[in-house]
Amino acid sequence: MTTHDIARVERTEMYLKSVLTIALAGYRVTTSRVAEAMAVSAPSASEMLKRLEHHGYLEPSAGGIRLTASGRQVATQVVRRLRLAERLLTDILKMELVAVYDEACKLEHVISPEVEARLDDVLGRPETCPHGHPIPKPDGTLLARRDQTLASLAPRAPARITALPEERTDLLRATLEAGLSLGAEISVEETATPRGPLIVRAGGARRTLSRDAAGQVWVASFTGTAG
């Protein structure tokens, strides 16, 4: 495979991964959202998405762009390798969480099926990445989320944090700096404005978190009193 072919394969994988992760976050997949995720112009994203549709990886739908069966197979494989690489970097190499996504993105395209299987064994077949997001199974199965984002949590409803921002390092850093972590009990106390930051209670203290960050913090409700 030539350098040009490798670059083309990586670009295809990155676009398909973006479509999948946008959909998993509960958003309608549009050209503008894909362009933002890929840090490219809307015309560039549109051209690439049309090319992927032509090759049978994507198809239009009433709810926006969606993956075909073959497109989802590629995308879930990339996400699986990404999240196993994140586990390697945190569990074995002891890297800080804020650094692992960018490093894992460099590895996701070069991990062979043999290395992927060995990683899974060595890491103890983890079910989630270090941010708390599910790792697809070897057959591509990816369990649907049953939790919700902190931004959508009803006021005063107790919940537990199940996943932190993964792709947006700035939002992950802000979340960690606010003292929020996986497994922490949390509740929303108030919001300054409908689009303003959230005032939350966690660890017995009131904390402020931007709505953008709260939209990428996943929580599961439970019966009890948070923090």
Short mmCIF file of all heavy atoms in Angstrom, two decimals, residues 66-109:
data_model
loop_
_atom_site.label_atom_id
_atom_site.label_comp_id
_atom_site.label_asym_id
_atom_site.label_seq_id
_atom_site.Cartn_x
_atom_site.Cartn_y
_atom_site.Cartn_z
N ARG A 66 -26.45 8.97 7.66
CA ARG A 66 -26.28 7.80 8.53
C ARG A 66 -25.36 6.78 7.85
O ARG A 66 -25.20 6.76 6.63
CB ARG A 66 -27.61 7.16 8.87
CG ARG A 66 -28.30 6.45 7.73
CD ARG A 66 -29.65 5.90 8.18
NE ARG A 66 -30.36 5.25 7.10
CZ ARG A 66 -31.63 4.85 7.17
NH1 ARG A 66 -32.31 5.05 8.27
NH2 ARG A 66 -32.19 4.26 6.14
N LEU A 67 -24.77 5.95 8.68
CA LEU A 67 -23.87 4.90 8.21
C LEU A 67 -24.65 3.74 7.62
O LEU A 67 -25.70 3.35 8.16
CB LEU A 67 -23.01 4.39 9.36
CG LEU A 67 -22.02 5.38 9.98
CD1 LEU A 67 -21.61 4.89 11.37
CD2 LEU A 67 -20.79 5.56 9.10
N THR A 68 -24.15 3.17 6.54
CA THR A 68 -24.68 1.89 6.06
C THR A 68 -24.07 0.79 6.92
O THR A 68 -23.24 1.05 7.80
CB THR A 68 -24.29 1.68 4.59
OG1 THR A 68 -22.85 1.62 4.50
CG2 THR A 68 -24.82 2.80 3.70
N ALA A 69 -24.45 -0.45 6.64
CA ALA A 69 -23.90 -1.58 7.41
C ALA A 69 -22.38 -1.64 7.26
O ALA A 69 -21.66 -1.83 8.24
CB ALA A 69 -24.54 -2.88 6.96
N SER A 70 -21.89 -1.45 6.03
CA SER A 70 -20.43 -1.51 5.82
C SER A 70 -19.74 -0.30 6.45
O SER A 70 -18.64 -0.42 7.00
CB SER A 70 -20.12 -1.58 4.33
OG SER A 70 -20.63 -0.46 3.63
N GLY A 71 -20.39 0.86 6.40
CA GLY A 71 -19.81 2.05 7.02
C GLY A 71 -19.74 1.91 8.53
O GLY A 71 -18.75 2.30 9.16
N ARG A 72 -20.78 1.34 9.12
CA ARG A 72 -20.79 1.16 10.57
C ARG A 72 -19.74 0.13 11.00
O ARG A 72 -19.11 0.28 12.05
CB ARG A 72 -22.18 0.71 11.05
CG ARG A 72 -22.30 0.65 12.57
CD ARG A 72 -23.71 0.35 13.02
NE ARG A 72 -23.80 0.28 14.46
CZ ARG A 72 -23.96 1.31 15.28
NH1 ARG A 72 -24.07 2.53 14.77
NH2 ARG A 72 -24.02 1.16 16.59
N GLN A 73 -19.53 -0.89 10.18
CA GLN A 73 -18.52 -1.88 10.50
C GLN A 73 -17.13 -1.25 10.59
O GLN A 73 -16.37 -1.52 11.53
CB GLN A 73 -18.51 -2.99 9.45
CG GLN A 73 -17.49 -4.10 9.73
CD GLN A 73 -17.52 -5.18 8.66
OE1 GLN A 73 -18.07 -4.99 7.58
NE2 GLN A 73 -16.93 -6.31 8.97
N VAL A 74 -16.81 -0.39 9.62
CA VAL A 74 -15.52 0.30 9.63
C VAL A 74 -15.44 1.24 10.83
O VAL A 74 -14.44 1.26 11.55
CB VAL A 74 -15.30 1.09 8.32
CG1 VAL A 74 -14.02 1.92 8.42
CG2 VAL A 74 -15.21 0.14 7.13
N ALA A 75 -16.50 2.02 11.05
CA ALA A 75 -16.48 3.03 12.12
C ALA A 75 -16.35 2.40 13.49
O ALA A 75 -15.58 2.87 14.34
CB ALA A 75 -17.75 3.88 12.04
N THR A 76 -17.09 1.33 13.75
CA THR A 76 -17.01 0.71 15.08
C THR A 76 -15.66 0.05 15.30
O THR A 76 -15.15 0.03 16.43
CB THR A 76 -18.12 -0.34 15.27
OG1 THR A 76 -18.11 -1.29 14.20
CG2 THR A 76 -19.49 0.32 15.35
N GLN A 77 -15.05 -0.46 14.23
CA GLN A 77 -13.71 -1.04 14.36
C GLN A 77 -12.70 0.02 14.76
O GLN A 77 -11.84 -0.20 15.61
CB GLN A 77 -13.29 -1.70 13.06
CG GLN A 77 -11.93 -2.40 13.14
CD GLN A 77 -11.51 -3.01 11.81
OE1 GLN A 77 -11.36 -2.31 10.82
NE2 GLN A 77 -11.35 -4.31 11.80
N VAL A 78 -12.81 1.19 14.15
CA VAL A 78 -11.89 2.29 14.47
C VAL A 78 -12.10 2.73 15.92
O VAL A 78 -11.14 2.94 16.66
CB VAL A 78 -12.08 3.48 13.51
CG1 VAL A 78 -11.19 4.65 13.93
CG2 VAL A 78 -11.77 3.08 12.08
N VAL A 79 -13.36 2.88 16.32
CA VAL A 79 -13.65 3.30 17.70
C VAL A 79 -13.16 2.24 18.68
O VAL A 79 -12.63 2.57 19.75
CB VAL A 79 -15.16 3.56 17.88
CG1 VAL A 79 -15.51 3.77 19.36
CG2 VAL A 79 -15.59 4.78 17.07
N ARG A 80 -13.31 0.98 18.35
CA ARG A 80 -12.81 -0.09 19.22
C ARG A 80 -11.30 0.04 19.42
O ARG A 80 -10.80 -0.02 20.55
CB ARG A 80 -13.15 -1.45 18.63
CG ARG A 80 -12.56 -2.63 19.41
CD ARG A 80 -13.08 -3.96 18.88
NE ARG A 80 -12.31 -5.08 19.40
CZ ARG A 80 -12.44 -5.58 20.63
NH1 ARG A 80 -13.33 -5.06 21.47
NH2 ARG A 80 -11.70 -6.60 21.04
N ARG A 81 -10.58 0.21 18.34
CA ARG A 81 -9.12 0.32 18.43
C ARG A 81 -8.70 1.60 19.14
O ARG A 81 -7.73 1.59 19.91
CB ARG A 81 -8.52 0.23 17.03
CG ARG A 81 -8.72 -1.14 16.41
CD ARG A 81 -8.18 -1.24 15.00
NE ARG A 81 -8.40 -2.60 14.49
CZ ARG A 81 -8.10 -3.00 13.27
NH1 ARG A 81 -7.54 -2.15 12.41
NH2 ARG A 81 -8.32 -4.24 12.88
N LEU A 82 -9.42 2.68 18.90
CA LEU A 82 -9.15 3.93 19.61
C LEU A 82 -9.27 3.74 21.11
O LEU A 82 -8.38 4.11 21.88
CB LEU A 82 -10.12 5.01 19.14
CG LEU A 82 -10.21 6.26 20.02
CD1 LEU A 82 -9.01 7.16 19.79
CD2 LEU A 82 -11.50 7.02 19.78
N ARG A 83 -10.37 3.14 21.53
CA ARG A 83 -10.65 3.05 22.96
C ARG A 83 -9.79 1.99 23.65
O ARG A 83 -9.47 2.13 24.84
CB ARG A 83 -12.15 2.83 23.18
CG ARG A 83 -12.92 4.11 22.80
CD ARG A 83 -14.41 4.03 22.95
NE ARG A 83 -15.00 5.35 22.67
CZ ARG A 83 -16.29 5.58 22.51
NH1 ARG A 83 -17.17 4.58 22.59
NH2 ARG A 83 -16.74 6.81 22.25
N LEU A 84 -9.39 0.96 22.93
CA LEU A 84 -8.42 0.02 23.49
C LEU A 84 -7.06 0.71 23.64
O LEU A 84 -6.35 0.50 24.64
CB LEU A 84 -8.28 -1.21 22.60
CG LEU A 84 -9.43 -2.22 22.65
CD1 LEU A 84 -9.23 -3.31 21.60
CD2 LEU A 84 -9.54 -2.85 24.05
N ALA A 85 -6.70 1.55 22.65
CA ALA A 85 -5.44 2.30 22.74
C ALA A 85 -5.48 3.26 23.92
O ALA A 85 -4.48 3.44 24.63
CB ALA A 85 -5.19 3.06 21.45
N GLU A 86 -6.64 3.88 24.16
CA GLU A 86 -6.77 4.77 25.33
C GLU A 86 -6.55 4.00 26.62
O GLU A 86 -5.91 4.50 27.55
CB GLU A 86 -8.16 5.42 25.34
CG GLU A 86 -8.36 6.46 24.25
CD GLU A 86 -9.75 7.06 24.28
OE1 GLU A 86 -10.71 6.37 24.69
OE2 GLU A 86 -9.89 8.23 23.89
N ARG A 87 -7.08 2.78 26.68
CA ARG A 87 -6.88 1.95 27.86
C ARG A 87 -5.40 1.60 28.04
O ARG A 87 -4.87 1.62 29.16
CB ARG A 87 -7.70 0.66 27.74
CG ARG A 87 -9.11 0.77 28.24
CD ARG A 87 -9.13 0.91 29.73
NE ARG A 87 -10.45 1.20 30.24
CZ ARG A 87 -10.69 1.70 31.44
NH1 ARG A 87 -9.69 1.98 32.25
NH2 ARG A 87 -11.91 1.95 31.84
N LEU A 88 -4.74 1.28 26.95
CA LEU A 88 -3.31 0.99 27.00
C LEU A 88 -2.55 2.18 27.57
O LEU A 88 -1.69 2.02 28.45
CB LEU A 88 -2.80 0.66 25.60
CG LEU A 88 -1.28 0.55 25.44
CD1 LEU A 88 -0.76 -0.68 26.17
CD2 LEU A 88 -0.90 0.50 23.97
N LEU A 89 -2.86 3.36 27.10
CA LEU A 89 -2.14 4.56 27.51
C LEU A 89 -2.38 4.91 28.97
O LEU A 89 -1.48 5.39 29.66
CB LEU A 89 -2.53 5.73 26.61
CG LEU A 89 -2.13 5.59 25.13
CD1 LEU A 89 -2.75 6.71 24.30
CD2 LEU A 89 -0.61 5.62 24.99
N THR A 90 -3.59 4.67 29.46
CA THR A 90 -3.89 5.00 30.86
C THR A 90 -3.53 3.86 31.82
O THR A 90 -2.89 4.07 32.84
CB THR A 90 -5.39 5.34 31.04
OG1 THR A 90 -6.18 4.27 30.52
CG2 THR A 90 -5.74 6.63 30.33
N ASP A 91 -3.93 2.65 31.47
CA ASP A 91 -3.76 1.52 32.41
C ASP A 91 -2.33 1.01 32.47
O ASP A 91 -1.85 0.62 33.54
CB ASP A 91 -4.67 0.36 32.00
CG ASP A 91 -6.15 0.73 32.07
OD1 ASP A 91 -6.46 1.88 32.44
OD2 ASP A 91 -6.99 -0.13 31.74
N ILE A 92 -1.65 0.99 31.34
CA ILE A 92 -0.30 0.43 31.28
C ILE A 92 0.77 1.53 31.31
O ILE A 92 1.73 1.45 32.08
CB ILE A 92 -0.11 -0.45 30.03
CG1 ILE A 92 -1.20 -1.51 29.95
CG2 ILE A 92 1.28 -1.07 30.01
CD1 ILE A 92 -1.23 -2.47 31.11
N LEU A 93 0.60 2.55 30.48
CA LEU A 93 1.60 3.61 30.38
C LEU A 93 1.37 4.75 31.37
O LEU A 93 2.21 5.64 31.49
CB LEU A 93 1.65 4.15 28.95
CG LEU A 93 1.98 3.12 27.86
CD1 LEU A 93 2.14 3.80 26.51
CD2 LEU A 93 3.23 2.33 28.22
N LYS A 94 0.23 4.72 32.06
CA LYS A 94 -0.07 5.68 33.14
C LYS A 94 -0.06 7.14 32.66
O LYS A 94 0.35 8.03 33.39
CB LYS A 94 0.92 5.51 34.30
CG LYS A 94 1.03 4.08 34.82
CD LYS A 94 -0.31 3.55 35.31
CE LYS A 94 -0.18 2.12 35.84
NZ LYS A 94 -1.50 1.55 36.24
N MET A 95 -0.53 7.39 31.46
CA MET A 95 -0.64 8.76 30.96
C MET A 95 -1.84 9.45 31.58
O MET A 95 -2.84 8.81 31.95
CB MET A 95 -0.76 8.77 29.44
CG MET A 95 0.52 8.39 28.71
SD MET A 95 0.36 8.55 26.90
CE MET A 95 0.08 10.33 26.75
N GLU A 96 -1.78 10.76 31.69
CA GLU A 96 -2.91 11.53 32.20
C GLU A 96 -4.07 11.47 31.22
O GLU A 96 -3.87 11.47 30.00
CB GLU A 96 -2.50 12.98 32.45
CG GLU A 96 -1.49 13.15 33.58
CD GLU A 96 -1.22 14.61 33.88
OE1 GLU A 96 -1.91 15.47 33.30
OE2 GLU A 96 -0.34 14.89 34.71
N LEU A 97 -5.29 11.46 31.75
CA LEU A 97 -6.47 11.29 30.93
C LEU A 97 -6.59 12.36 29.85
O LEU A 97 -7.02 12.07 28.72
CB LEU A 97 -7.72 11.28 31.81
CG LEU A 97 -9.04 10.94 31.12
CD1 LEU A 97 -8.98 9.56 30.48
CD2 LEU A 97 -10.20 11.04 32.10
N VAL A 98 -6.21 13.59 30.17
CA VAL A 98 -6.38 14.67 29.19
C VAL A 98 -5.48 14.50 27.97
O VAL A 98 -5.70 15.16 26.95
CB VAL A 98 -6.10 16.06 29.83
CG1 VAL A 98 -7.17 16.40 30.85
CG2 VAL A 98 -4.71 16.11 30.43
N ALA A 99 -4.49 13.63 28.05
CA ALA A 99 -3.56 13.46 26.94
C ALA A 99 -3.84 12.24 26.08
O ALA A 99 -3.31 12.13 24.97
CB ALA A 99 -2.12 13.38 27.46
N VAL A 100 -4.70 11.33 26.55
CA VAL A 100 -4.76 10.02 25.88
C VAL A 100 -5.53 10.03 24.57
O VAL A 100 -5.20 9.27 23.66
CB VAL A 100 -5.33 8.93 26.82
CG1 VAL A 100 -4.49 8.81 28.07
CG2 VAL A 100 -6.78 9.20 27.17
N TYR A 101 -6.56 10.87 24.43
CA TYR A 101 -7.35 10.82 23.19
C TYR A 101 -6.50 11.17 21.98
O TYR A 101 -6.50 10.45 20.97
CB TYR A 101 -8.57 11.74 23.28
CG TYR A 101 -9.38 11.74 21.98
CD1 TYR A 101 -10.24 10.69 21.70
CD2 TYR A 101 -9.25 12.76 21.05
CE1 TYR A 101 -10.97 10.66 20.51
CE2 TYR A 101 -9.95 12.73 19.86
CZ TYR A 101 -10.81 11.68 19.60
OH TYR A 101 -11.52 11.65 18.41
N ASP A 102 -5.78 12.27 22.06
CA ASP A 102 -4.96 12.70 20.91
C ASP A 102 -3.90 11.65 20.57
O ASP A 102 -3.62 11.40 19.40
CB ASP A 102 -4.30 14.05 21.20
CG ASP A 102 -5.31 15.19 21.19
OD1 ASP A 102 -6.40 15.01 20.63
OD2 ASP A 102 -4.99 16.27 21.74
N GLU A 103 -3.31 11.05 21.59
CA GLU A 103 -2.29 10.02 21.34
C GLU A 103 -2.93 8.76 20.75
O GLU A 103 -2.37 8.13 19.85
CB GLU A 103 -1.54 9.69 22.63
CG GLU A 103 -0.64 10.79 23.13
CD GLU A 103 0.49 11.13 22.14
OE1 GLU A 103 0.96 10.20 21.44
OE2 GLU A 103 0.86 12.30 22.07
N ALA A 104 -4.09 8.39 21.27
CA ALA A 104 -4.76 7.19 20.78
C ALA A 104 -5.21 7.35 19.33
O ALA A 104 -5.24 6.37 18.58
CB ALA A 104 -5.95 6.85 21.67
N CYS A 105 -5.55 8.58 18.94
CA CYS A 105 -5.95 8.83 17.55
C CYS A 105 -4.81 8.52 16.58
O CYS A 105 -5.06 8.17 15.43
CB CYS A 105 -6.39 10.28 17.38
SG CYS A 105 -8.05 10.61 18.02
N LYS A 106 -3.58 8.66 17.05
CA LYS A 106 -2.44 8.35 16.20
C LYS A 106 -2.26 6.84 16.03
O LYS A 106 -1.63 6.39 15.07
CB LYS A 106 -1.16 8.95 16.80
CG LYS A 106 -1.20 10.46 16.98
CD LYS A 106 0.01 10.95 17.76
CE LYS A 106 -0.08 12.44 18.08
NZ LYS A 106 1.06 12.91 18.91
N LEU A 107 -2.80 6.07 16.96
CA LEU A 107 -2.63 4.63 16.95
C LEU A 107 -3.79 3.89 16.30
O LEU A 107 -3.62 2.76 15.82
CB LEU A 107 -2.46 4.12 18.39
CG LEU A 107 -1.27 4.68 19.18
CD1 LEU A 107 -1.34 4.19 20.63
CD2 LEU A 107 0.04 4.26 18.55
N GLU A 108 -4.96 4.48 16.27
CA GLU A 108 -6.16 3.76 15.86
C GLU A 108 -6.10 3.21 14.43
O GLU A 108 -6.75 2.21 14.12
CB GLU A 108 -7.40 4.66 16.01
CG GLU A 108 -7.40 5.86 15.08
CD GLU A 108 -8.52 6.82 15.38
OE1 GLU A 108 -9.17 6.69 16.43
OE2 GLU A 108 -8.77 7.72 14.53
N HIS A 109 -5.32 3.86 13.56
CA HIS A 109 -5.27 3.45 12.16
C HIS A 109 -4.19 2.40 11.88
O HIS A 109 -4.14 1.83 10.79
CB HIS A 109 -5.02 4.66 11.26
CG HIS A 109 -5.97 5.79 11.49
ND1 HIS A 109 -7.30 5.72 11.17
CD2 HIS A 109 -5.79 7.02 12.04
CE1 HIS A 109 -7.90 6.85 11.50
NE2 HIS A 109 -7.00 7.66 12.04
#
